[in-house]
Amino acid sequence: MSQINQSSIWQTLNQHKKDIELISLREMFNSNPNRFDQFHIQFNDLLFDYSKHRISKETINLLVRLAKEADVEGWRDRMFKGEKINSTEHRSVLHTALRNQNDTPVVSDNENVMPKVDKVLKKMRRFSEEVRSGQWKGFTGKAITNIVNIGIGGSDLGPAMVCQALKTYGSKTIRPYFVSNVDGADLSQAIEKCDPETTLFIIASKTFTTPETMTNAFAARDWFLKTAKDSQYIKKHFVALSTNQHLVSRFGIDVENMFEFWDWVGGRYSLWSAIGLPIAIYIGMDSFEELLKGGFEMDEHFKTTPIEQNIPIMMGLLGVWYINFFNYTTHAILAYDQGLSKLAPYLQQADMESNGKFINRNGERIDFHTGPIIWGEVGTNGQHAFYQLLHQGTEIVPADFIVPIKSHYSLGKEGNEHHKILLSNFIAQTQSLMMGKTYDEARTEIEKQGYEGEDIESFIPQKTFEGNRPSSSILFQKLTPKTLGQIIVMYEHKIFTQGIIWNINSFDQWGVEYGKQIAKQVLPNLSENKLTDSFDSSTNGLINYIKKN
Ligand code: F6P
């Protein structure tokens, strides 16, 4: 079967790129004062402004044709219907069911999954309310004051990101910790702040076999038992979020205290499931349900809106436009909200584990770029670190600026001084990346500053900016649970759209599995007394060097 880059629409886009690259963004804005009106989409309280992209109406028409050719809408409907689109693992992809607010059944393997989703949500409500109210007691009768989530990847990044983002909604009496790294520093630094009498450990692992998580979980259990002495108390201090009841019970956790999810929930799409329990405990179940509601509303937008007005599909298409036609292969996530400081690492997993693949659904080698390198930092911190490269580097990095219009915090003059400064920086960055500064503008500026003669000539190139650097602006009222739900799902479906266009299965992760497999082979070599010669010379050299030292 021929790949998408062999299609005629791909060739047309290639040709169109050659035409459009002759026109700068500055020229596009100068010749069309309605560009903002023409290229933005509003949905609920979200504004998606994509006017600062190297596109024309024709580009959009062609990209829409590309999406149709790849049958993005058909695949989308198959996913929502529970078809097994995760073909290598023979699984449905139904994280959307976890936030479904319709009464309509969602079917996987001839079973409506909604009753079991609702049952777990009810159990999460009951439990989170007991913990928050202090009704749930530790082994000495004290209420819980610390929750320690032990998990990694999708069993960590989502809940950690959301708890950080929604701190203003968080409990004032319960502190959340997230331990993921098998580096003993991570767990040690969390538990040194905790008291075993008032700490609840949440062991979050879909498989309950992930070595990092299980090593930390056993160490946490040892730490707890050193004080509690009796293993019957484990049930008061350990709960599990998993699909693997057998291993949970073998660990010593009461299966009554296991919150279940299912194989049709991918790890990186699991924060909506029982994996969200630390979120529910920290911000309360009502707020967690608002998060789900926001996610559901974005699902509906994705499901029902024509492509041209469909935010996630348009985001996906713009990404393809840059990655495949301009060769811009990285993408920056620049949130102007301190709460979103963990959004970039969260999206790294969501995007790069999903679409970082060179084999397509048919098992063929893909000969064009696929998933982008995702990176980022909150504004304005990033401005004082890597924005220099964004403005004048030889790499061009399309970026998403994600910005609340209002802050939860009122500081400074009129209670919004900080936020106004933040907003002005966001506006200034997107504007200057797009406009740049011409040679003549640089000269005028330098002359005004009092430079003279040769100094001026040598300084002008340093102060000249090509501009023409694309960005999207994503604005919303305030970072609420519901808005955050919309933003996360917007990215999930952007990733989905790109996976479909590239004909990738975005829901497996064989590359990660390969790393795990090799680590298993290396581990025994580190404990053996003799030097190893089982691997290549570099690997042997490193293992033996560690052992000798
Ligand atoms: O890193 C690979 C991965 O399988 C992720 O997809 C997943 O989120 C993570 O490991 C954790 O897996 P588990 O929840 O089974 O411990």
Side-chain angles (χ1 to χ4, degrees), residues 311-514:
I311 299 176
I313 300 187
M314 288 310 300
M315 287 174 85
L317 290 171
L318 288 165
V320 169
W321 180 229
Y322 291 120
I323 293 164
N324 296 120
F325 298 93
F326 285 79
N327 219 8
Y328 302 161
T329 55
T330 91
H331 188 101
I333 302 293
L334 308 171
Y336 278 63
D337 188 310
Q338 188 59 28
L340 292 176
S341 58
K342 294 187 174 188
L343 183 64
Y346 169 75
L347 290 176
Q348 276 174 340
Q349 188 202 14
D351 206 318
M352 294 164 80
E353 202 167 84
S354 296
N355 287 341
K357 291 166 191 170
F358 60 64
I359 295 292
N360 71 12
R361 284 183 174 274
N362 313 325
E364 299 155 344
R365 179 73 158 86
I366 295 171
D367 55 3
F368 47 85
H369 281 300
T370 60
I373 295 164
I374 301 289
W375 60 288
E377 175 57 280
V378 284
T380 59
N381 298 7
Q383 289 177 210
H384 297 272
F386 55 77
Y387 279 38
Q388 166 61 35
L389 185 147
L390 299 189
H391 285 284
Q392 286 187 310
T394 50
E395 291 284 328
I396 296 194
V397 185
D400 290 349
F401 286 80
I402 305 164
V403 192
I405 295 168
K406 293 190 191 115
S407 168
H408 281 286
Y409 300 93
S410 46
L411 277 182
K413 263 185 267 147
E414 293 165 17
N416 63 5
E417 190 187 8
H418 285 243
H419 202 64
K420 271 195 192 158
I421 295 172
L422 191 70
L423 288 175
S424 63
N425 272 282
F426 141 65
I427 302 267
Q429 291 300 328
T430 56
Q431 204 245 5
S432 51
L433 284 166
M434 179 272 281
M435 289 282 276
K437 193 188 285 173
T438 64
Y439 192 87
D440 288 344
E441 286 166 349
R443 171 187 287 281
T444 312
E445 184 184 292
I446 295 165
E447 282 172 352
K448 268 197 201 144
Q449 288 168 350
Y451 287 87
E452 284 173 4
E454 274 181 21
D455 277 357
I456 295 185
E457 294 313 316
S458 64
F459 208 14
I460 292 175
Q462 312 297 336
K463 300 274 266 183
T464 303
F465 296 80
E466 286 170 357
N468 223 9
R469 294 175 184 231
S471 66
S472 299
S473 298
I474 297 154
L475 266 61
F476 49 92
Q477 280 298 306
K478 230 179 192 181
L479 192 60
T480 63
K482 195 166 154 196
T483 303
L484 182 61
Q486 292 179 46
I487 293 172
I488 300 169
V489 173
M490 173 183 84
Y491 278 103
E492 283 184 359
H493 295 324
K494 170 249 164 188
I495 294 164
F496 176 88
T497 299
Q498 295 185 337
I500 296 304
I501 289 175
W502 295 320
N503 193 23
I504 276 175
N505 176 4
S506 304
F507 302 100
D508 57 13
Q509 57 283 319
W510 299 110
V512 185
E513 304 306 332
Y514 179 54

Side-chain angles (χ1 to χ4, degrees), residues 147-313:
I147 53 173
V148 181
N149 189 82
I150 297 182
I152 197 164
S155 301
D156 164 75
L157 290 162
M161 181 272 285
V162 172
C163 286
Q164 167 73 25
L166 300 177
K167 232 178 197 166
T168 41
Y169 297 80
S171 162
K172 302 289 173 262
T173 53
I174 297 174
R175 225 166 314 150
Y177 296 93
F178 289 87
V179 171
S180 54
N181 200 337
V182 74
D183 178 343
D186 205 5
L187 179 65
S188 305
Q189 288 169 12
I191 53 182
E192 74 191 14
K193 295 182 211 112
C194 297
D195 174 349
E197 293 179 53
T198 59
T199 300
L200 176 75
F201 289 96
I202 302 175
I203 314 300
S205 177
K206 182 173 167 179
T207 53
F208 230 69
T209 58
T210 303
E212 294 93 326
T213 300
M214 296 324 297
T215 307
N216 279 326
F218 283 112
R221 195 179 65 175
D222 289 348
W223 173 83
F224 169 73
L225 286 175
K226 226 185 242 172
T227 308
K229 311 285 187 228
D230 191 337
S231 60
Q232 67 156 320
Y233 294 135
I234 289 177
K235 64 173 182 288
K236 292 182 180 290
H237 290 267
F238 285 78
V239 299
L241 321 176
S242 189
T243 58
N244 194 334
Q245 185 166 326
H246 170 66
L247 291 184
V248 166
S249 131
R250 222 166 69 180
F251 180 88
I253 292 177
D254 187 344
V255 290
E256 275 303 297
N257 299 335
M258 166 174 158
F259 296 78
E260 193 191 1
F261 60 112
W262 308 275
D263 70 359
W264 40 262
V265 182
R268 53 193 172 274
Y269 299 96
S270 64
L271 73 86
W272 319 96
S273 71
I275 289 292
L277 186 70
I279 307 174
I281 295 176
Y282 184 51
I283 66 172
M285 195 64 191
D286 288 346
S287 293
F288 182 70
E289 284 185 345
E290 280 292 294
L291 184 85
L292 298 183
K293 197 163 173 213
F296 168 74
E297 288 180 5
M298 185 53 78
D299 283 334
E300 290 294 292
H301 169 78
F302 176 57
K303 252 163 83 171
T304 58
T305 312
I307 295 176
E308 299 83 337
Q309 290 300 311
N310 195 310
I311 299 176
I313 300 187

Side-chain angles (χ1 to χ4, degrees), residues 23-65:
I23 315 164
S24 71
L25 276 170
R26 186 191 271 243
E27 287 163 338
M28 287 180 186
F29 273 92
N30 286 344
S31 64
N32 177 7
N34 295 325
R35 220 177 135 78
F36 173 80
D37 293 336
Q38 209 174 355
F39 297 115
H40 78 260
I41 303 172
Q42 251 174 301
F43 170 67
N44 285 352
D45 76 331
L46 284 190
L47 169 81
F48 174 60
D49 166 26
Y50 61 105
S51 58
K52 292 193 185 80
H53 281 288
R54 301 189 63 184
I55 52 161
S56 63
K57 192 76 199 93
E58 192 189 348
T59 323
I60 297 304
N61 291 340
L62 294 175
L63 289 171
V64 169
R65 264 179 58 198

